[in-house]
């Protein structure tokens, strides 16, 4: 095993790591918690300090500290490695843990570009003084790694080529663009067909939850004389913000800006604040609200983004805390955007509040004017239904009009709320604030709900909820090992179990068997209890079931092996790598034979 992984595991206990995300309760030698990966009221998520592993009886989530962080933070293995290495104070060795792949190169390019933009920023007085004027201080500029993309068509391109990166990789991460109509045949020199995507912009790196730069947001800024640097050279329309396109590292509808800096505070303060812009984000952090994140501008406001990805945005934030405050601009567009975001958060069972901003102002304006005003606004945020109710009552006195607006504006939120108690509390609130009769509201609402049912369920299905991800293989594995760990209640059962266990061990290999056993052993008490309730005094049934489970499980295991081998083989053939190809093909054939064998054993 790689030495960094080993060192991290020595320094961080699984209890320390998981308890920084979840509230744990002692359960004998182990700990338990409500599972973060499926919805539940009573804890079925167990952690074994002895084994350094976790296991959920509800959804079969299982693994070690790395897979936990990966799963919880929605990152990959390298991301979880980085997060835990930072925590353990273990420097990550430069030699990669596994073979270096394309993704590693992409991250390296983004890191090199970030340093380059930081260096350019240090040289550019105008950019710094622009940010100072907007209230951003030097320490924020440093910690958010703000940079500057020079007024040039090829500066970042040339810099990265000199560093040894390939043009095609730089294009894939979205830093350069191909010239329209540039023919691929006429390559004469570097950068001929490509140009920098970001020119003359203040650069805000966008990080994933582990702090790796995955994209940029570039802001155009006016210098003191009012002209926009670079404008005269450009025939393109200048958008205020320009974001990286979607790349293998970055999906703009999935990312919340600032998540790497906000995640710990969201958990410890037990709420998050969501703002719209980069400036809002940084100023809110500066004002002490380090539990603030920002939507990427398109994620929640662009109606062409499908609901699935909009919802994914909130996954990590929701696992950290179910309380969320939306603080968008106080104009009509901001209110529309808040409503859309809030509906999604409500459908995820979150407690949604809205910070009421004075018309026409954004959080950055307010914080720049007076930090205490921002504190008050956050403190006085109201739940989304009350927010809209108050607006309706302010805008119209006519009771029929109020009724119409309640149906149009409030009901869509009520449909999203799962709890009936909460719903009836809101109906009561509507009655008190609007003067409409409670019976009338209830009747209208029931009719409305009928027409909405299908749509709501669709959204709920799409909400990217960690699905109950018990695969057939997981379920079979769990059942088999609960029998093996139980060991039966008499000699007869024990010897039957041992006989079948040996057969299985031989078929899947001792190493594989040990790996599986290690995973379930820490939970032996609970698992054998389950087995006992199924098979106590039923030896015949036990043998019959075990035989069937083993056949089915072996089939699943071999199928998994076959398909991953097949992927390998295809890759090698595509890349013309002959290394071990022969061996792979032989192994593949062997597995196919094993699957055939299982089929014939079954038909006997
Ligand atoms: Zn679970």
């Amino acid at each position: 095993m790689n030495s960094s992984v080993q060192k991290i595991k020595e320094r961080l206990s699984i209890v320390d790591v998981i308890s920084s995300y979840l509230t744990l309760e002692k359960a004998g030698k182990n700990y338990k918690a409500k599972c973060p990966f499926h919805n539940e009221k009573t804890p079925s998520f167990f952690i074994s300090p002895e084994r350094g592993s976790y296991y959920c009886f509800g959804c079969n989530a299982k693994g070690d500290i790395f897979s936990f962080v990966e799963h919880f933070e929605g990152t990959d293995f390298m991301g979880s490695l980085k997060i835990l290495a930072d925590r353990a104070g273990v420097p990550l060795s430069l030699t990669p843990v596994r073979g270096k792949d394309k993704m590693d190169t992409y991250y390296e390019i983004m890191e090199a570009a970030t340093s380059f933009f930081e260096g350019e920023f240090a040289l550019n007085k105008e950019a710094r003084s622009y940010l100072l004027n907007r209230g951003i201080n030097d320490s924020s500029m440093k910690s958010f790694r703000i940079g500057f993309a020079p007024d040039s068509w090829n500066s970042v391109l040339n810099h990265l080529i000199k560093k040894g990166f390939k043009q095609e990789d730089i294009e894939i991460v979205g830093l350069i663009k191909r010239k329209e109509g540039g023919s691929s045949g006429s390559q004469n020199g570097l950068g001929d067909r490509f140009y920098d995507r970001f020119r003359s912009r203040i650069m805000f790196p966008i990080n994933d939850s582990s702090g790796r730069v995955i994209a940029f947001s570039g802001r155009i800024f006016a210098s003191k004389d009012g002209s926009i640097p670079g404008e005269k050279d450009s025939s393109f329309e200048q958008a205020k913000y320009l974001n990286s396109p979607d790349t293998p590292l970055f999906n703009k509808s999935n990312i919340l800006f600032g998540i790497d800096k906000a995640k710990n505070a969201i958990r410890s303060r037990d709420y998050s604040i969501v703002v719209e812009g980069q400036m809002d984000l940084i100023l809110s952090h500066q004002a002490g609200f380090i539990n603030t994140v920002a939507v990427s501008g398109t994620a929640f406001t662009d109606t062409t983004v499908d609901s699935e990805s909009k919802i994914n945005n909130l996954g990590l934030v929701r696992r950290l805390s179910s309380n969320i405050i939306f603080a968008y601009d106080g104009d009509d567009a901001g209110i529309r955007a808040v409503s859309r975001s809030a509906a999604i958060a409500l459908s995820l069972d979150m407690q949604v509040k809205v910070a009421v901003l004075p018309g026409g102002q954004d959080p950055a304006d307010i914080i720049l004017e007076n930090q205490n005003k921002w504190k008050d606004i956050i403190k006085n945020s109201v739940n989304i239904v009350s927010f809209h109710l108050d607006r309706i009552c302010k805008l119209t006195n006519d009771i029929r009009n109020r009724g119409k607006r309640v149906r149009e504006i409030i009901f869509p939120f009520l449909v999203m709320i799962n709890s009936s108690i909460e719903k009836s509390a809101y109906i009561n609130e509507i009655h008190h604030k609007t003067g409409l009769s409670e019976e009338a509201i209830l009747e209208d609402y029931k009719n409305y709900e009928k027409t909405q049912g299908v749509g709501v369920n669709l959204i709920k299905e799409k909400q990217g909820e960690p699905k109950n991800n018990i695969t057939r293989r997981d379920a079979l594995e769990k059942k088999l090992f609960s029998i093996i760990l139980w060991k039966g209640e008499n000699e007869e059962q024990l010897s039957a179990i041992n006989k079948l266990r040996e057969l299985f061990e031989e078929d899947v290999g001792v190493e594989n068997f040990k790996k599986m056993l290690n995973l379930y052993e820490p939970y032996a008490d609970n698992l054998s209890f389950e087995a006992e309730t199924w098979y106590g005094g039923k030896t015949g049934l036990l043998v019959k079931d075990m035989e069937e489970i083993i056949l089915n499980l072996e089939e699943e295991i071999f199928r998994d092996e076959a398909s991953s081998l097949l992927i390998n083989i295809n890759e090698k053939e595509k890349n013309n790598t002959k290394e071990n190809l022969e061996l792979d093909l032989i192994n593949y054939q062997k597995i196919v034979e094993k699957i055939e064998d299982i089929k014939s054993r079954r038909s006997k």
Side-chain angles (χ1 to χ4, degrees):
M1 195 187 279
N2 180 272
S3 67
S4 314
V5 171
Q6 199 54 53
K7 263 189 211 140
I8 292 167
K9 282 196 163 174
E10 278 160 17
R11 288 199 197 169
L12 297 178
S13 82
I14 191 157
V15 174
D16 286 343
V17 172
I18 297 186
S19 68
S20 71
Y21 293 97
L22 309 173
T23 308
L24 305 186
E25 279 172 59
K26 196 107 183 60
K29 284 192 297 185
N30 301 328
Y31 289 83
K32 62 181 180 179
K34 277 188 207 159
C35 178
F37 306 126
H38 83 279
N39 253 329
E40 62 175 8
K41 299 242 154 26
T42 50
S44 50
F45 184 86
F46 283 79
I47 298 120
S48 161
E50 231 165 79
R51 299 275 172 180
S53 70
Y54 64 89
Y55 177 69
C56 174
F57 287 94
C59 69
N60 265 37
K62 56 183 178 238
D64 60 10
I65 47 175
F66 295 98
S67 61
F68 180 84
V69 170
E70 218 175 288
H71 220 113
F72 193 100
E73 299 236 10
T75 181
D76 57 6
F77 175 74
M78 291 305 285
S80 69
L81 186 63
K82 184 173 180 297
I83 291 168
L84 291 171
D86 288 348
R87 236 185 106 163
V90 171
L92 280 183
S93 52
L94 288 171
T95 44
V97 176
R98 44 168 171 67
K100 189 168 153 173
D101 68 14
K102 274 278 166 212
M103 295 298 274
D104 297 324
T105 308
Y106 299 153
Y107 287 117
E108 281 169 20
I109 295 176
M110 297 309 274
E111 180 56 37
T114 306
S115 306
F116 173 74
F117 293 139
E118 280 180 299
E120 291 295 319
F121 183 82
L123 303 173
N124 191 303
K125 286 204 185 77
E126 277 175 334
R128 176 172 170 269
S129 71
Y130 172 79
L131 291 179
L132 285 174
N133 270 330
R134 296 289 308 257
I136 293 179
N137 64 32
D138 283 313
S139 105
S140 296
M141 291 178 211
K142 244 196 206 114
S143 70
F144 282 87
R145 303 189 68 189
I146 295 174
F148 180 70
D151 186 9
S152 143
W153 292 95
N154 53 17
S155 62
V156 82
L157 173 62
N158 286 341
H159 175 79
L160 293 171
I161 292 280
K162 256 186 246 156
K163 290 240 151 201
F165 295 110
K166 292 200 192 97
Q167 202 161 262
E168 67 211 54
D169 292 336
I170 306 171
E171 186 191 11
I172 286 172
V173 298
L175 286 166
I176 55 175
K177 277 172 96 168
R178 198 179 282 267
K179 259 177 212 155
E180 297 278 332
S183 80
S184 55
S186 69
Q187 267 177 286
N188 44 358
L190 289 177
D192 180 38
R193 292 151 49 223
F194 290 94
Y195 62 93
D196 289 3
R197 179 184 296 270
F198 299 98
R199 299 176 309 280
S200 192
R201 285 175 182 271
I202 293 179
M203 299 296 284
F204 299 92
I206 299 168
N207 299 344
D208 69 2
S209 77
S210 73
R212 291 175 297 189
V213 177
I214 53 172
F216 291 98
S217 181
R219 192 190 202 285
I220 211 81
F221 70 103
S223 55
K224 259 170 267 157
D225 61 16
S227 74
I228 297 171
E231 195 176 45
K232 47 192 175 298
D233 309 324
S234 169
S235 53
F236 295 90
E237 199 193 318
Q238 301 267 22
K240 194 163 111 184
Y241 278 100
L242 180 67
N243 289 340
S244 292
D246 280 1
T247 71
L249 303 183
F250 176 58
N251 175 347
K252 59 177 159 292
S253 42
N254 273 333
I255 284 290
L256 289 164
F257 295 179
I259 188 69
D260 56 320
K261 295 188 177 62
K263 61 182 184 183
N264 292 333
I266 291 175
R267 153 123 177 93
S268 61
R269 298 184 187 185
D270 197 16
Y271 74 99
S272 58
I273 301 170
V274 184
V275 295
E276 283 181 293
Q278 281 293 345
M279 296 286 185
D280 302 330
L281 171 75
I282 297 174
L283 284 168
S284 186
H285 275 246
Q286 246 176 237
F289 292 93
I290 51 175
N291 51 338
T292 307
V293 290
V295 290
S296 56
T298 50
F300 280 115
T301 52
D302 184 351
T303 49
T304 62
V305 177
D306 67 298
S307 56
E308 188 171 10
S309 43
K310 277 191 274 183
I311 289 160
N312 284 342
N313 233 322
L314 291 176
L316 171 55
V317 168
R318 189 190 72 142
R319 284 194 284 279
L320 293 164
S321 166
S322 65
N323 300 306
I324 189 165
I325 300 176
F326 290 101
Y328 290 4
D329 296 0
D331 57 10
D332 285 344
I335 288 166
R336 275 197 302 274
V338 144
S339 303
R340 278 196 293 273
S341 304
I344 293 160
L346 280 177
S347 74
L348 289 168
D349 273 339
M350 296 178 83
Q351 308 301 312
V352 182
K353 285 185 165 187
V354 178
V356 186
L357 272 63
Q361 280 195 305
D362 61 24
D365 298 330
I366 292 161
I367 299 165
L368 187 56
E369 187 192 310
N370 181 352
Q371 287 197 359
N372 287 327
K373 199 169 157 193
W374 179 238
K375 277 177 195 155
D376 287 339
I377 286 174
I378 295 298
K379 206 170 78 192
N380 296 323
S381 56
V382 293
N383 79 60
I384 179 76
V385 173
S386 314
F387 169 76
H388 279 296
L389 257 185
D390 293 343
R391 265 176 64 87
I392 291 168
C393 294
K394 216 163 82 185
L395 292 172
T396 175
N397 280 320
D398 179 71
I399 190 112
R400 255 175 310 181
N401 242 330
R402 283 183 171 181
K404 186 165 164 277
R405 281 174 186 247
V406 164
R407 278 191 297 276
E408 283 169 2
I409 299 171
I410 309 280
F411 284 0
F413 289 111
L414 292 190
V415 181
M416 291 293 172
I417 296 170
N418 290 323
S419 149
S420 340
I421 297 170
E422 233 173 283
K423 255 183 228 184
S424 74
Y426 280 128
I427 286 175
N428 190 267
E429 187 180 338
I430 298 170
H431 156 67
H432 281 291
K433 283 186 174 162
T434 60
L436 291 158
S437 93
E438 208 159 343
E439 293 75 40
I441 303 168
L442 204 59
E443 201 185 316
D444 266 11
Y445 177 68
K446 280 192 177 140
N447 287 329
Y448 178 84
E449 210 175 29
K450 268 184 219 146
T451 64
Q452 297 301 310
V454 185
V456 173
N457 286 333
L458 209 65
I459 288 191
K460 287 192 174 159
E461 270 168 34
K462 283 184 114 189
Q463 68 195 12
E465 266 283 273
K467 287 171 204 81
N468 212 356
N469 46 1
I470 306 184
T471 62
R472 182 161 177 261
R473 178 176 168 171
D474 285 337
L476 291 165
E477 221 181 270
K478 181 177 151 191
K479 193 142 187 191
L480 177 65
F481 280 92
S482 63
I483 298 171
I484 289 174
L485 290 164
W486 173 46
K487 299 188 177 88
E489 57 180 6
N490 51 44
E491 278 302 311
E492 191 196 0
Q493 280 185 331
L494 179 62
S495 79
I497 292 168
N498 281 342
K499 221 170 87 192
L500 287 166
R501 165 196 163 142
E502 274 162 31
L503 274 178
F504 177 70
E505 208 172 330
E506 200 176 303
D507 284 345
V508 296
V510 180
E511 270 306 300
N512 278 336
F513 181 84
K514 223 195 239 158
K515 256 190 219 155
M516 287 184 246
L517 185 65
N518 277 345
L519 209 58
Y520 294 96
E521 215 165 25
Y523 316 104
D525 286 352
N526 305 52
L527 288 170
S528 29
F529 181 68
E530 264 185 83
E532 196 182 273
T533 53
W534 297 322
Y535 300 114
K538 296 175 194 160
T539 309
L541 180 68
L542 170 82
V543 173
K544 190 174 150 278
D545 271 12
M546 237 180 123
E547 279 170 345
E548 204 175 303
I549 293 167
I550 288 175
L551 277 181
N552 290 335
L553 180 56
E554 285 181 5
E555 190 175 352
E556 293 291 321
I557 292 171
F558 296 145
R559 275 185 199 285
D560 282 356
E561 272 179 33
S563 69
S564 68
L565 259 177
L566 207 55
I567 291 170
N568 260 340
I569 292 170
N570 283 337
E571 278 284 301
K572 285 182 182 169
E573 281 176 343
K574 220 168 57 198
N575 301 330
N576 257 330
T577 333
K578 292 273 174 320
E579 202 190 335
N580 293 333
L581 182 59
E582 201 109 306
L583 193 69
D584 284 353
L585 286 166
I586 293 170
N587 283 336
Y588 180 71
Q589 195 49 44
K590 273 189 196 154
I591 293 170
V592 172
E593 277 163 21
K594 282 186 192 168
I595 295 173
E596 288 304 314
D597 179 49
I598 289 170
K599 277 187 187 153
S600 69
R601 271 153 71 189
R602 186 178 286 136
S603 58
K604 267 180 214 161

